[in-house]
Amino acid sequence: MLLPTFFRSVEEDYYHLKQHVQLWDVACERQIEVSGPDAQALLQLVIPRDLSKLRAGQCIYTPIVDQDGMVLNDPLTIKLDDERFWVSIADSDIGLLLKGLALGSQMRARVHEPDVSPLAVQGPKAVLLMQRLFGAEIANLKFFRAKQFEFRNHDLWISRSGYSKQGGYEIYLTPASLGEALWDDLMNAGQDLEVRAGCPNLIERIEGGLLSYGNDMTSANTLAECTLDKYFDIDEAPLCIGYAALKREQLDGGPARQVRMLRIDGDRVPACIDPWPLYTPSAPAGQVTSAAWSPDLGENVAIGMVEAAYWDLGRVLNLSCADGSRRTATVKGLV
Amino acid sequence: MLLPTFFRSVEEDYYHLKQHVQLWDVACERQIEVSGPDAQALLQLVIPRDLSKLRAGQCIYTPIVDQDGMVLNDPLTIKLDDERFWVSIADSDIGLLLKGLALGSQMRARVHEPDVSPLAVQGPKAVLLMQRLFGAEIANLKFFRAKQFEFRNHDLWISRSGYSKQGGYEIYLTPASLGEALWDDLMNAGQDLEVRAGCPNLIERIEGGLLSYGNDMTSANTLAECTLDKYFDIDEAPLCIGYAALKREQLDGGPARQVRMLRIDGDRVPACIDPWPLYTPSAPAGQVTSAAWSPDLGENVAIGMVEAAYWDLGRVLNLSCADGSRRTATVKGLV
């Protein structure tokens, strides 16, 4: 899954995102449609949250786990109606997992990738811009709710959501042939709002504690290691295949390591492509998986996986950066 | 899945591959390990070939299908022992499909991605080079057979196989830490053989009729459309979930379109990134999915999906290339 990392520069984009509004073409964030009488039951098999009270038009953040409680993805799932869901996947092909699961369990559920291409509209002026195209009513759409709005005689699903802390919407474009019209209409309508092309911003998402699947967490991590055990409904989700493993991890005293926000000392860190090791004079202490200089905070913000013995607030750890520099990283707390 | 497309130029690499020997780092071609008492039964669910007679040390080309007979991948599968298989996948995450299938069907099979990185040694001098590192005996390894050979006190699985028609081997490197030693030893041992870094070569694989998953065939194609129905053992593989759909397609008179080799007239074609439409004066006739100028044949060789009405040998179709040029394409036959 390939996404741009910036349009002008990561910092220019960062300031702009926090002040104005951006269009993010995140069509690579494929939608997996799960439909049929057993659609919800199928999803419940890999989602540790209780889905039984989810209503049509609701969005839900849904870590996806295997039988060992390892995290395979962390999509947003939208319930379109009682027998139809869209799963907006992060970087692993959950469509194939669900397809295998449906076939193996002989559930009455169809899994396919519809012609739906998400476009995120993010930033403090997102509401203003969206109202111009979709009407005043869209301001009333609550966070993590989805509804259909008309665009050029087509009904498009739109949710109040997005991978930033600046607020905004995600438009689920279909058919793809409407793409240029939607893009151009939003660009034209937002000229005085300084609308621009953008993309998920490294600095803003680290500041906001938004984890990136494939970087800050992988299939080698348990739900609790990713601090996502807050989404484990231990009393409500026994149907999830990861239930026994997740319960055992909880009863056994929790995870051996966990994601933490960190501050890295010194001036601007280099790009963190591969994880950087954290250590004490006597032992490995974890790794930094995302890092960037934050202009607003005037410090290097980071996310990392820290061993339990060293994850308490204020703990100072040694860090070996990709450029060979030795620094310290201070634990700032949970994401 | 990202792979280099050439090292010097596609043509230089092509000549070299046909004369000498190349090392291809195809570590991105991940190995999926399926193990446990039900490992073979699990694989049989998605493979339309009869696996019951497969013996340890044998390789088998295994199209993978879903319940509609659509092709989800076309890996080489190696049987290491009765309860352990490696699946060398093309570009789709079959590990997740198999994982879902194992969980849903409650089979006693474990699916994971081991620390195995394939290195292909391809070209007419591959046998000579491999003998220098692994001993004279490796020349006796038959096509599509695999065996363990020693390298620096580790036993490495090696198969006689590869994604070219020039012959050669695939080395399944583990652990990854041996990678540089293996590469350097092969490079040093092969200096007088003109060994070089290489990669699957576009011209050579089109000439040889080697299909590329994601290009010449996708999950939108049935097994027969990909001409892979020759691998459907209709009397032997009723356990495959695609069995009913594949049988129906056969009884209903076969596929509506099918892969064909084509010759494109005129001078050198541009790069074929997206498919090029094939058509007659009155109707669409299919699409070209791979194309390149072949220096040895002195013509543009191509692979495409052609509608049944137009796929007979010698048929001339119109073609619209990416550069806007109008050409003709002639059907040369099956791959």
Side-chain angles (χ1 to χ4, degrees):
Chain A
M1 186 181 289
L2 299 177
L3 259 181
T5 51
F6 64 86
F7 279 78
R8 297 196 181 182
S9 75
V10 177
E11 286 200 12
E12 263 197 81
D13 288 7
Y14 159 86
Y15 284 122
H16 181 269
L17 172 62
K18 286 182 152 189
Q19 290 167 17
H20 304 294
V21 55
Q22 295 181 350
L23 306 187
W24 299 356
D25 178 352
V26 286
C28 67
E29 182 193 299
R30 300 314 298 166
Q31 299 303 107
I32 304 300
E33 179 167 316
V34 184
S35 58
D38 294 333
Q40 184 161 312
L42 178 70
L43 288 167
Q44 186 70 79
L45 284 180
V46 287
I47 294 173
R49 302 186 72 167
D50 177 22
L51 299 180
S52 66
K53 293 172 195 78
L54 197 67
R55 293 196 309 275
Q58 281 189 320
C59 309
I60 182 171
Y61 176 69
T62 47
I64 290 192
V65 296
D66 68 9
Q67 77 280 16
D68 299 318
M70 312 306 265
V71 179
L72 300 183
N73 207 295
D74 71 325
L76 184 82
T77 296
I78 309 174
K79 183 169 184 167
L80 304 178
D81 64 42
D82 283 345
E83 298 196 358
R84 191 159 161 249
F85 296 79
W86 279 350
V87 184
S88 304
I89 54 172
D91 195 359
S92 75
D93 197 344
I94 288 307
L96 287 175
L97 179 83
L98 293 172
K99 195 160 187 163
L101 203 55
L103 288 170
S105 61
Q106 301 189 307
M107 282 188 168
R108 294 162 302 163
R110 177 171 177 245
V111 179
H112 79 291
E113 192 180 300
D115 171 24
V116 173
S117 304
L119 178 74
V121 182
Q122 299 286 300
K125 298 181 186 168
V127 182
L128 270 173
L129 175 58
M130 291 291 282
Q131 284 184 307
R132 294 181 185 176
L133 243 73
F134 299 101
E137 187 211 354
I138 203 160
N140 300 324
L141 188 66
K142 288 186 187 150
F143 186 65
F144 267 35
R145 294 296 159 99
K147 206 175 154 181
Q148 285 181 296
F149 291 85
E150 196 186 318
F151 177 74
R152 299 203 176 196
N153 299 318
H154 289 263
D155 286 328
L156 301 186
W157 279 97
I158 297 179
S159 63
R160 190 83 173 248
S161 57
Y163 192 60
S164 86
K165 290 284 189 181
Q166 308 310 314
Y169 300 84
E170 289 176 293
I171 306 172
Y172 301 88
L173 176 78
T174 180
S177 56
L178 279 179
E180 286 190 47
L182 178 65
W183 182 271
D184 290 343
D185 285 3
L186 283 165
M187 276 294 179
N188 291 331
Q191 277 191 357
D192 62 307
L193 305 175
E194 299 194 41
V195 64
R196 264 196 216 165
C199 53
N201 183 274
L202 180 70
I203 310 169
E204 196 270 347
R205 75 118 181 131
I206 300 177
E207 280 182 5
L210 294 173
L211 302 184
S212 166
Y213 188 77
N215 294 304
D216 305 315
M217 53 179 161
T218 74
S219 61
N221 297 119
T222 67
L223 195 69
E225 287 178 1
C226 307
T227 67
L228 300 180
D229 48 334
K230 57 193 168 203
Y231 299 113
F232 173 37
D233 291 339
I234 195 165
D235 297 324
E236 309 291 345
L239 295 172
C240 174
I241 52 169
Y243 182 79
L246 294 172
K247 194 168 173 180
R248 191 165 55 241
E249 185 180 40
Q250 242 180 41
L251 297 177
D252 285 355
R257 62 199 63 80
Q258 200 170 49
V259 166
R260 285 292 183 278
M261 301 280 278
L262 300 151
R263 180 179 61 244
I264 301 176
D265 81 279
D267 54 10
R268 183 182 306 262
V269 286
C272 182
I273 309 296
D274 291 313
W276 298 334
L278 290 164
Y279 55 96
T280 69
S282 58
Q287 56 183 22
V288 164
T289 49
S290 297
W293 175 259
S294 161
D296 279 352
L297 299 181
E299 63 181 42
N300 291 304
V301 290
I303 294 173
M305 189 66 75
V306 184
E307 297 296 320
Y310 310 108
W311 71 27
D312 39 297
L313 191 71
R315 183 78 181 221
V316 180
L317 297 165
N318 296 316
L319 172 68
S320 178
C321 272
D323 60 1
S325 65
R326 308 278 156 161
R327 298 176 182 243
T328 61
T330 306
V331 176
K332 287 171 68 178
L334 289 161
V335 289
Chain B
M1 186 181 288
L2 298 177
L3 260 181
T5 50
F6 64 85
F7 279 79
R8 297 196 181 182
S9 75
V10 177
E11 287 200 11
E12 263 197 81
D13 287 7
Y14 159 86
Y15 284 123
H16 181 269
L17 172 62
K18 286 182 152 189
Q19 290 167 15
H20 306 293
V21 54
Q22 296 182 350
L23 306 187
W24 298 356
D25 178 352
V26 286
C28 68
E29 182 194 300
R30 300 313 299 165
Q31 298 304 106
I32 305 301
E33 179 167 316
V34 184
S35 57
D38 294 333
Q40 184 161 313
L42 178 70
L43 288 168
Q44 187 69 81
L45 284 180
V46 288
I47 294 173
R49 301 185 72 167
D50 177 21
L51 300 180
S52 66
K53 292 172 195 78
L54 197 67
R55 294 197 309 274
Q58 281 189 318
C59 309
I60 182 170
Y61 176 68
T62 47
I64 290 191
V65 296
D66 68 9
Q67 77 280 15
D68 300 318
M70 312 307 265
V71 180
L72 301 183
N73 207 294
D74 71 325
L76 185 81
T77 295
I78 309 174
K79 183 168 184 166
L80 305 178
D81 63 43
D82 283 345
E83 298 196 357
R84 192 159 160 249
F85 296 79
W86 279 349
V87 185
S88 303
I89 54 172
D91 195 358
S92 75
D93 197 344
I94 288 307
L96 288 173
L97 179 83
L98 293 172
K99 195 161 186 161
L101 203 56
L103 289 169
S105 61
Q106 302 189 306
M107 281 188 169
R108 295 162 301 162
R110 178 170 177 247
V111 178
H112 80 291
E113 192 179 300
D115 171 23
V116 174
S117 304
L119 178 74
V121 181
Q122 299 285 301
K125 298 181 187 167
V127 182
L128 270 173
L129 175 57
M130 291 290 282
Q131 284 184 306
R132 293 181 185 176
L133 244 74
F134 299 102
E137 187 211 353
I138 202 160
N140 300 325
L141 188 66
K142 288 187 186 150
F143 186 64
F144 267 36
R145 294 296 158 98
K147 205 175 156 181
Q148 284 181 295
F149 292 84
E150 198 187 317
F151 177 72
R152 297 202 177 198
N153 299 317
H154 290 261
D155 286 328
L156 301 185
W157 279 96
I158 297 179
S159 62
R160 190 83 174 247
S161 58
Y163 191 61
S164 86
K165 290 284 188 179
Q166 309 310 314
Y169 299 84
E170 289 177 291
I171 306 172
Y172 301 87
L173 176 78
T174 179
S177 55
L178 280 178
E180 286 190 47
L182 178 64
W183 182 271
D184 290 344
D185 285 3
L186 282 165
M187 277 293 180
N188 291 331
Q191 277 191 357
D192 62 308
L193 305 175
E194 299 195 41
V195 65
R196 265 197 215 164
C199 53
N201 183 274
L202 180 69
I203 310 169
E204 196 271 346
R205 74 118 180 132
I206 299 177
E207 280 182 6
L210 294 173
L211 302 184
S212 166
Y213 189 77
N215 294 305
D216 305 315
M217 54 180 162
T218 73
S219 61
N221 296 119
T222 67
L223 195 69
E225 287 178 0
C226 307
T227 66
L228 300 180
D229 48 335
K230 57 193 167 202
Y231 300 113
F232 173 37
D233 290 339
I234 196 165
D235 297 323
E236 310 290 345
L239 295 172
C240 174
I241 52 169
Y243 182 79
L246 293 173
K247 194 167 171 180
R248 194 166 51 242
E249 187 180 37
Q250 240 179 43
L251 297 177
D252 286 355
R257 60 198 64 80
Q258 200 171 48
V259 167
R260 286 292 183 278
M261 301 281 276
L262 299 152
R263 179 180 63 243
I264 300 176
D265 81 279
D267 53 11
R268 182 182 306 262
V269 287
C272 182
I273 309 297
D274 292 312
W276 298 335
L278 290 164
Y279 54 96
T280 69
S282 57
Q287 57 183 20
V288 164
T289 50
S290 296
W293 175 259
S294 161
D296 279 352
L297 299 183
E299 64 181 41
N300 291 303
V301 289
I303 294 173
M305 188 67 74
V306 184
E307 296 297 320
Y310 310 108
W311 71 27
D312 39 297
L313 190 72
R315 184 79 182 218
V316 181
L317 297 165
N318 296 315
L319 171 68
S320 178
C321 273
D323 59 1
S325 65
R326 309 276 155 161
R327 298 176 182 244
T328 60
T330 306
V331 176
K332 286 171 68 178
L334 289 162
V335 290

